[in-house]
């Protein structure tokens, strides 16, 4: 049977009945325009509903497609993409766009998937990434960053000169996906209008011809680039109404109402970054961030904004946060995981936030009149506690009414009656807002071939299948709903499922029901095409997937995701996943379903749909990590690779406490740990080693003298350019043990300094961004010290500049698969202060047709641990931290794997258990997903 279906499928495909994958961008360009309402493409209005995704936080191009498919499946028609200068540039003039940095591949994927792109190449991006996206070498370039200073200008023009042409090739105007171009990022203080103008001139000179946009921060009187020199075409606004206190998820609106401001009368309102998650500022863990920005918040704030602002361009930050692997994190606000409490988790799982995005996204995508609305009088509510606000489309008259508590933080259960003057007459409409909730109700809408007079249920979506309308409406479980449709004569109403009352008054058919499960009603006659109306709850309608096909949009219900459907003749080939065995139901003009290369047995239902069953994933077990080998890294080990550190000047506005300048960046060591060696001739009277180091938050340094461990200190976060204020960051004084040094004998200091990444440049004044890393001051009771420094060997050609650090083991490839031998046997029960390396290998045998996200789980302990998998630096554990699971994407993971852990301890310690864990398990028919190398 299985064999037979394969033949059938092969036949269908070879006969050309099933279309090849969606056509890649044609050379044919489109016209992009805009007016005060919305963007347009070839004159058609586009409501841009996009979410932010960071390719650099997912070092696995195969999985970019998975995430993009998931974004599209939630009803997004666009993605907002930062491009990270530092990720591509290890050194001035050196750029790399290959492998995990192949952004052209990323843009091609967006084109294949039909997603618009808002391209955001900075040069500055913030994004809680090292240097806010600036390469660390820029710290050594003279001239204020984010200004028109010549030094900085030459540097950023080189970057834009490389990224802009790539983006230009992929513009909608040339048949690609890029619909808008974002210059700079929240450029609000210390602004330089010449710089802002020149950035745009550079973009135009490089072929960018789509609208130029900007994301303003913080409102008030700060620069928003809506007029004057440096103004952009479509100025947008970033809104983070919930702030970032994930430890207090019930407190709402800390940063205001989040209604996006209109900044220009001739351009659409653009919610450039709208909060869709949060960084975990207080180490509460990302689940709490997901709660702070959960479905209730999304309903209340997003819907309030849609109606309150009339925005038609949205960028939700983030949809999938990903992983700040390697040296990607900015040191002050984040740790390795950039999960962000987003709708799609770091390990690519879908959450209840995803369901809410889908409910809103399908609505916005389906109901076209929303792309052009003006503020309109709202129906009067009988209870002032129930707030209404409205917009309407000036051409169709369609009305959109926001319903929420007057106090949006209220969780009361309120009911009211609306006096609603709809385009089709006056009505009294009973409504309810129960708990933290908001709804957008619609009146006067041509729903396919039907006329929706009004409904107190919300619209998920509707499609036309085989000459009938299939519509899905919903409300909270247990709430009453009513829907009124207009007919010229009494239609035949057949309730297939659920408890739905109907009445007809000569022109209006009124349906009354309680939302529960999924009710199904067939309506025919009445002078209109037939309709299948489904009335569900938040949960039951979240099971629907709307997919575009050659014969128009279709609906699929029951899979954990439906990614793509090809329809040819009466066949559908579906790409979908399941997390358990269960039903699949199609609302599509087909009679046969093929999924994962197999024909699915189906039957026709009374609803006219096709119903079948799909398998779930088989359980998997991961191997235990055993046979660990151990190797200690002695302080300042080895004699090669050291550079004399004798500079006496620095481009940084922050001058050192003592000379020579020992800043790591000055010697070309931009990322990762550095070792210092200080040599002097002892007087024998030395009492104290005095050091200062700047590492960024949670960094530290360890000190040895003549091989004896003296101790450790926390690194500082910053010094000030103006003494005497804070010229003593990260101070450590270490007593010289009596008898360790003798008069006239050579003495050697060894210092290991961590570098937690580079500060952002939010204030555009260099004083944060150009903070040094490494030793800031050093003295040993007046001794004349000769310093040497040693850091990373250079950029890793495959893994990029942000993978490599300066531990000896890293320089010598101890973290690489098949790295050098000479490993000791099993690790000792207790390891000494300093650097200890652990290493083992494991095999993964996961079913080819399953997507099983895997993480490495560490035990909490008094150490920091760098996790290397197959040479990829997948993160850093720093005690204490809410993060113990380090996500390992397929692509980084293969069938045969090497894991190496570099453990840095300041006291004798022992490493707790380390294991592999699964963070999901899906059966999938999406070929590339989860495939191991
Ligand atoms: C906004 C930045 O534009 C974005 O890059 C990111 O840093 C985000 O914040 C927070 O995750 S800035 C806004 C909070 C004022």
């Amino acid at each position: 049977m299985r064999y037979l279906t394969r033949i059938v499928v092969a036949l269908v495909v070879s006969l050309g009945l099933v279309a090849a994958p969606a056509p890649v961008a044609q050379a044919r360009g489109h016209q992009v325009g805009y007016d005060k309402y919305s963007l347009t493409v070839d004159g058609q209005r586009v409501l841009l509903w996009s979410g932010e995704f960071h390719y650099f936080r997912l070092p696995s191009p195969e999985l970019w497609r998975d995430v993009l498919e998931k974004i599209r499946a939630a009803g997004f028609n666009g993605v907002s993409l930062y491009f990270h200068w530092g990720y591509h540039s290890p050194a001035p003039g050196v750029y790399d766009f290959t492998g995990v940095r192949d952004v052209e591949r990323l843009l091609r994927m967006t084109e294949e998937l039909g997603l618009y792109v808002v391209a955001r190449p900075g040069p500055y991006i913030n994004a809680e990434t090292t240097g806010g996206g600036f390469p660390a070498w820029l710290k050594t370039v003279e001239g204020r960053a984010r200004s028109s200073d010549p030094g900085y200008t030459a540097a950023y023009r080189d970057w834009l000169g490389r990224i802009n042409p790539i983006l230009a090739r992929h513009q909608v105007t040339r048949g690609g996906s890029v619909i808008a171009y974002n210059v700079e990022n929240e450029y609000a203080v210390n602004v330089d209008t010449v710089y802002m103008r020149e950035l745009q001139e550079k973009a135009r000179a490089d072929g960018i011809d789509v609208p130029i946009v900007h994301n303003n921060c913080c409102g008030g009187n700060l620069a928003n680039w809506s007029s004057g020199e440096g103004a952009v075409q479509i100025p947008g606004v970033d809104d983070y109404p919930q702030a970032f206190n994930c430890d207090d998820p019930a407190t709402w609106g800390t940063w205001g109402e989040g209604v996006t401001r209109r900044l220009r009368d001739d351009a659409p309102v653009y919610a450039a970054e709208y909060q869709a998650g949060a960084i975990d500022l207080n180490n509460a863990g990302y689940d709490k961030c997901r709660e702070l920005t959960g479905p209730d918040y999304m309903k209340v704030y997003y819907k309030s904004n849609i109606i309150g602002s009339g925005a038609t361009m949205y960028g939700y930050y983030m949809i999938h946060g990903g992983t700040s692997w390697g040296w990607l994190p900015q040191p002050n606000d984040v740790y390795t995981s950039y999960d962000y409490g987003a709708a799609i988790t770091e390990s690519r799982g879908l959450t209840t936030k995803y369901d809410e995005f889908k409910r809103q996204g399908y609505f916005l995508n389906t109901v076209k009149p929303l792309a052009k609305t003006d503020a309109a009088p709202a129906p009067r509510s009988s209870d002032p506690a129930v707030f209404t606000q409205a917009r309407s489309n000036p051409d169709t008259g369609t009305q959109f009414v926001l319903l929420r508590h007057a106090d949006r933080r209220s969780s009361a259960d309120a009911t009211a009656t609306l006096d609603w003057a709809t385009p089709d007459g006056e009505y009294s409409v009973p409504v309810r807002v129960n708990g933290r909730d908001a709804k957008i109700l619609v009146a006067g809408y041509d729903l396919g071939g039907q006329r929706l007079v009004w409904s107190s249920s919300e619209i998920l979506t509707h499609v036309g299948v085989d000459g009938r309308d299939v519509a899905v409406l919903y409300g909270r479980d247990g709430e009453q709903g009513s829907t009124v449709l207009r007919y010229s004569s009494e239609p035949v109403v057949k309730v297939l499922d659920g408890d739905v009352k109907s009445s007809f008054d000569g022109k209006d058919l009124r349906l009354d029901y309680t939302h529960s499960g999924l009710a199904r009603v067939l309506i025919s006659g009445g002078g209109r095409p037939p309709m299948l109306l489904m009335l569900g709850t938040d949960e039951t309608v979240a099971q629907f997937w709307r997919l575009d096909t050659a014969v128009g949009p279709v609906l699929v219900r029951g899979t954990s995701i439906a990614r793509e459907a090809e329809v040819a003749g009466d066949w559908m080939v579906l790409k979908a996943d399941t997390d358990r065995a269960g039903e699949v139901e199609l609302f599509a003009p087909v009679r046969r379903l093929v999924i994962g290369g197999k024909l699915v047995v189906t039957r026709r239902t009374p609803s006219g749909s096709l119903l079948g069953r799909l398998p779930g994933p088989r359980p998997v077990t991961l191997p235990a990590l055993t046979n660990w080998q151990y190797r200690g890294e002695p302080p300042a080990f080895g004699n090669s690779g050291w550079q004399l550190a004798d500079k006496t000047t620095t481009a940084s506005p922050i001058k050192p406490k003592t000379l020579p300048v020992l800043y790591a960046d000055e010697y070309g060591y931009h990322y990762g740990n550095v070792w210092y060696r200080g040599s002097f001739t002892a007087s024998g009277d030395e009492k104290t080693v005095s050091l200062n180091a700047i590492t960024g938050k949670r960094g530290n340094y360890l000190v040895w003298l003549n091989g004896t461990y003296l101790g450790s200190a926390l690194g500082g976060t910053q010094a000030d350019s103006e003494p005497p204020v804070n010229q003593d960051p990260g101070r450590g004084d270490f007593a010289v043990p009596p008898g360790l040094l003798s008069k006239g004998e050579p003495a050697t200091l060894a210092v290991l300094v961590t570098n937690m990444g580079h500060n952002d440049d939010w204030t555009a004044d260099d004083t944060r961004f150009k903070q040094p890393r490494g030793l800031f001051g050093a003295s040993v009771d007046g001794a004349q010290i000769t310093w040497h420094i040693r850091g990373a060997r250079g950029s890793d050609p495959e893994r990029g500049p942000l993978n490599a650090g300066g531990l000896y083991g890293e320089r010598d490839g101890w973290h690489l698969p098949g790295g050098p031998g000479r490993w000791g046997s099993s690790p000792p029960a207790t390891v000494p202060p300093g650097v200890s390396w652990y290493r083992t290998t494991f095999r993964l045998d996961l079913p080819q047709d399953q997507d099983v996200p895997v993480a490495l789980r560490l035990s909490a302990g008094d150490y920091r641990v760098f996790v290397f998998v197959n040479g990829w630096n997948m993160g850093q554990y720093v005690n204490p931290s809410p993060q113990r699971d380090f996500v390992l994407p397929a692509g980084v993971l293969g069938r045969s794997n090497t894991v190496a852990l570099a453990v840095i301890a300041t006291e004798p310690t022992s490493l707790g258990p380390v294991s592999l864990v699964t963070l999901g398990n899906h059966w999938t028919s999406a070929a590339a997903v989860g495939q191991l190398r």
Side-chain angles (χ1 to χ4, degrees):
M1 173 63 195
R2 234 165 125 173
Y3 182 63
L4 192 70
T5 55
R6 294 230 162 159
I7 294 179
V8 172
V9 173
L11 201 69
V12 171
V13 174
S14 68
L15 287 175
L17 291 174
V18 175
V24 195
Q26 302 300 317
R28 207 172 70 80
H30 301 275
Q31 254 192 339
V32 179
Y34 65 91
D35 61 12
K36 74 170 195 173
Y37 292 110
S38 73
L39 286 167
T40 57
V41 173
D42 294 336
Q44 300 287 311
R45 291 201 178 280
V46 171
L47 192 154
L48 183 69
W49 186 251
S50 78
E52 182 85 18
F53 166 61
H54 294 162
Y55 66 91
F56 46 90
R57 286 186 158 117
L58 181 55
S60 174
E62 292 76 17
L63 293 182
W64 294 345
R65 189 175 178 105
D66 175 54
V67 172
L68 293 173
E69 284 183 351
K70 284 172 174 162
I71 290 174
R72 181 179 66 166
F76 287 101
N77 61 356
V79 283
S80 179
L81 304 174
Y82 274 145
F83 294 84
H84 190 304
W85 181 1
Y87 193 69
H88 296 273
S89 180
V94 184
Y95 286 85
D96 186 343
F97 294 95
T98 63
V100 299
R101 294 167 299 281
D102 186 352
V103 294
E104 193 119 33
R105 183 169 174 191
L106 173 72
L107 291 168
R108 274 200 306 275
M109 285 180 192
T110 62
E111 287 156 8
E112 286 160 16
L113 296 175
L115 288 168
Y116 289 120
V117 169
V118 177
R120 312 206 301 152
Y124 181 72
I125 62 171
N126 208 59
E128 290 79 55
T129 186
T130 181
F134 282 152
W137 58 255
L138 187 65
K139 290 169 67 177
T140 63
V141 171
E142 295 278 357
R144 177 165 71 94
R146 307 181 80 188
S147 81
S148 59
D149 189 283
Y152 171 69
T153 303
Y156 87 66
R157 287 202 178 152
D158 198 14
W159 157 241
L160 291 184
R162 307 199 190 226
I163 189 72
N164 282 345
I166 298 177
L167 300 174
R169 283 201 280 287
H170 289 274
Q171 291 175 105
V172 172
T173 49
R174 301 195 199 166
S177 54
V178 175
I179 196 168
Y181 178 98
N182 192 145
V183 278
E184 255 287 346
N185 188 83
E186 299 194 327
Y187 191 45
V189 294
N190 290 317
V191 297
D192 176 339
T193 55
V194 174
Y195 165 53
M196 198 60 176
R197 171 173 52 74
E198 288 179 346
L199 280 174
Q200 296 176 63
E201 287 165 1
K202 172 71 179 148
R204 295 303 186 207
D206 288 336
I208 299 297
D209 55 16
V210 293
I212 293 186
V213 305
H214 175 262
N215 57 323
N216 162 248
C217 157
C218 314
N221 294 325
L222 300 180
N224 62 36
W225 308 106
S226 56
S227 62
E229 182 176 35
V232 298
Q233 288 174 288
I234 308 179
V237 179
D238 293 354
D239 282 295
Y240 289 81
Q242 297 292 69
F244 302 105
N245 304 320
C246 302
D247 54 343
D248 185 17
T251 298
W252 276 21
T254 308
W255 283 1
E257 305 258 284
V259 177
T260 307
R261 274 202 302 163
R262 170 174 281 286
L263 293 178
R264 268 181 91 131
D265 287 335
D266 61 352
V269 177
Y270 176 26
E273 284 178 28
Y274 203 96
Q275 181 166 20
I279 47 174
D280 184 16
L281 271 188
N282 303 315
N283 290 340
Y286 282 116
D287 284 342
K288 290 280 186 195
C289 301
R290 221 177 313 279
E291 209 179 311
L292 177 73
T293 57
D296 299 0
Y297 153 77
M298 295 167 71
K299 283 174 190 283
V300 174
Y301 280 79
Y302 297 179
K303 292 176 186 177
S304 295
N305 189 34
I306 291 164
I307 301 304
S309 76
T312 56
M313 294 173 69
Y314 296 87
Y316 286 98
Y317 192 103
M318 302 286 304
I319 298 306
H320 167 77
T323 307
S324 299
W325 62 281
W327 300 103
L328 271 175
Q330 169 256 57
N332 298 314
D333 303 323
V334 289
Y335 40 90
T336 297
S337 173
Y338 198 71
D339 176 275
Y340 215 82
I344 304 175
T345 65
E346 184 183 7
S347 54
R348 298 174 292 106
L350 308 185
T351 64
T352 55
K353 288 181 62 174
Y354 183 90
D355 293 342
E356 182 56 29
F357 264 125
K358 187 160 72 161
R359 286 185 287 265
Q360 296 190 29
Y362 284 14
F363 168 61
L364 271 94
N365 240 321
T366 305
V367 180
K368 300 296 175 206
L370 250 178
K372 181 182 180 184
T373 61
D374 295 310
R380 207 185 60 81
S381 155
S382 63
D383 179 348
V386 175
F387 174 84
T388 56
Q389 193 176 15
R391 304 191 75 80
S392 69
N393 180 298
D395 305 327
T396 66
T398 309
Q399 296 178 359
F400 301 94
V401 173
L402 170 74
L403 197 68
R404 64 164 165 85
H405 292 295
D407 172 0
R408 63 174 83 189
R409 289 158 306 186
S410 164
S411 52
D413 183 359
T415 52
T417 306
L418 307 185
D419 284 337
W420 195 344
T422 76
D424 300 311
E426 304 260 343
Y427 291 87
S428 255
V429 176
V431 293
R432 178 172 173 194
V433 186
N434 184 9
R436 284 178 153 176
D437 194 12
K439 302 174 188 184
I440 296 177
L441 308 184
V442 179
Y445 174 53
D446 290 323
L447 185 157
Q450 318 295 319
R451 177 68 176 177
L452 178 70
V453 177
W454 60 265
S455 177
S456 62
S457 303
E458 295 188 89
I459 298 173
L460 178 78
T461 188
H462 55 88
V463 297
V465 175
D466 282 334
R468 68 173 191 164
D469 292 306
V470 176
V472 184
L473 273 55
Y474 68 99
R476 278 205 173 167
D477 192 21
E479 285 186 8
Q480 288 294 125
S482 306
T483 296
V484 174
L485 296 152
R486 183 146 297 179
Y487 294 94
S488 54
S489 60
E490 182 162 9
V492 179
V493 178
K494 192 169 162 199
V495 178
L496 300 173
D497 268 315
D499 187 6
V500 180
K501 309 254 170 314
S502 70
S503 57
F504 186 70
D505 68 2
K507 57 182 199 223
D508 284 349
L509 173 72
R510 179 175 169 138
L511 304 173
D512 294 288
Y513 43 86
T514 302
H515 291 282
S516 159
L518 187 67
R520 301 183 186 221
V521 185
L522 280 175
I523 304 169
S524 54
R528 293 187 182 275
M531 163 152 85
L532 170 66
L533 177 62
M534 291 181 276
L535 301 159
T537 63
D538 281 11
E539 294 72 27
T540 56
V541 304
Q543 297 170 1
F544 283 89
W545 301 93
R546 178 191 160 100
L547 299 167
D548 284 318
T549 73
V551 298
V554 300
L555 297 180
V556 172
R557 190 187 65 82
T559 52
S560 63
I561 185 174
R563 299 165 184 269
E564 212 160 82
E566 302 285 346
V567 174
D570 57 7
W571 291 77
M572 177 191 282
V573 178
L574 182 65
K575 233 167 84 179
D577 300 6
T578 62
D579 56 3
R580 72 197 71 167
E583 285 183 346
V584 59
E585 185 174 11
L586 308 186
F587 302 86
V590 297
R591 299 160 59 87
R592 300 261 184 279
L593 170 63
V594 174
I595 177 165
K598 287 176 210 150
L599 188 66
V600 178
V601 179
T602 53
R603 64 179 172 84
R604 187 66 60 192
T605 71
S607 306
S609 60
L610 211 58
L611 189 69
R613 276 192 75 77
L614 293 178
R618 283 154 287 163
V620 294
T621 33
L622 298 177
L625 296 176
T626 54
N627 297 323
W628 288 96
Q629 292 182 296
Y630 174 83
R631 199 168 174 184
E633 173 175 327
F637 185 57
N639 283 324
S640 65
W642 294 97
Q643 245 193 86
L644 182 67
D646 60 353
K647 292 197 177 182
T648 53
T649 60
T650 171
S652 171
I654 319 292
K655 308 302 174 197
K657 185 173 159 189
T658 59
L659 289 175
V661 178
L662 295 174
Y663 304 172
D665 292 294
E666 296 288 344
Y667 300 94
Y669 301 128
H670 299 303
Y671 306 105
N673 300 275
V674 284
W675 279 104
Y676 290 88
R677 229 186 223 185
S679 318
F680 58 95
T681 305
S683 68
D685 298 330
E686 291 87 353
K687 297 269 176 299
T688 313
V689 175
S690 279
L691 299 173
N692 292 85
I694 302 184
T695 57
K697 213 161 134 182
R698 304 198 308 159
N700 69 353
Y701 59 102
L702 286 70
V703 186
W704 291 259
L705 180 59
N706 283 355
T708 297
Y709 181 60
L710 299 189
S712 71
L714 282 181
T717 56
Q718 78 171 63
D720 295 320
S721 42
E722 311 279 330
V725 195
N726 192 13
Q727 276 286 294
D728 211 14
R731 170 80 177 257
D733 293 305
F734 305 90
V736 176
L740 187 64
L741 302 181
S742 337
K743 187 174 167 52
E745 293 295 316
T748 307
L749 269 172
V751 187
L752 174 66
V753 185
T754 57
N755 173 351
M756 299 302 290
H758 303 279
N759 295 343
D760 61 43
D761 190 24
W762 198 86
T763 44
D765 63 0
D766 275 1
T767 62
R768 296 150 68 101
F769 168 56
K770 287 187 178 165
Q771 286 291 328
R773 292 291 179 264
L775 287 179
F776 182 72
S779 62
V780 187
D781 295 329
Q784 280 299 314
I785 310 172
T786 303
W787 284 99
H788 286 83
I789 182 171
R790 193 181 62 198
R793 245 183 212 288
S795 182
D796 178 317
E798 183 187 4
R799 305 173 187 93
L802 299 170
N803 194 71
L807 296 177
Y808 183 85
E810 289 177 276
R811 291 179 56 90
D812 202 35
W814 298 4
H815 61 305
L816 297 173
R822 294 177 320 223
W823 285 76
S825 45
S826 44
T830 307
V831 298
V835 188
S836 301
W837 286 83
Y838 293 70
R839 190 166 126 140
T840 190
T841 58
F842 64 92
R843 263 194 77 77
L844 272 186
D845 277 309
L846 300 173
Q848 286 286 321
D849 56 356
Q850 286 178 213
D851 180 12
V852 183
V854 173
L856 185 100
R857 178 168 292 172
L858 296 174
S859 304
D862 195 9
Y863 36 64
R864 64 183 63 219
V865 182
F866 297 93
V867 176
F868 293 96
V869 175
N870 298 324
W872 295 82
N873 174 351
M874 291 312 296
Q876 179 178 186
Y877 167 86
V878 183
N879 188 49
S881 165
Q883 180 173 14
R884 287 173 45 215
D885 288 351
F886 292 80
V887 174
L888 308 175
V892 164
L893 276 180
R895 288 175 188 286
S896 316
N897 301 281
T898 302
V899 44
L901 304 175
V903 178
I904 304 184
T906 56
E907 299 296 332
T909 190
S910 54
L911 179 65
V914 181
S915 58
L916 296 171
V917 293
T918 61
L919 298 178
N921 186 4
H922 287 83
W923 176 76
T924 180
S925 55
V929 173
Q931 290 298 297
L932 301 172
R933 244 191 239 186

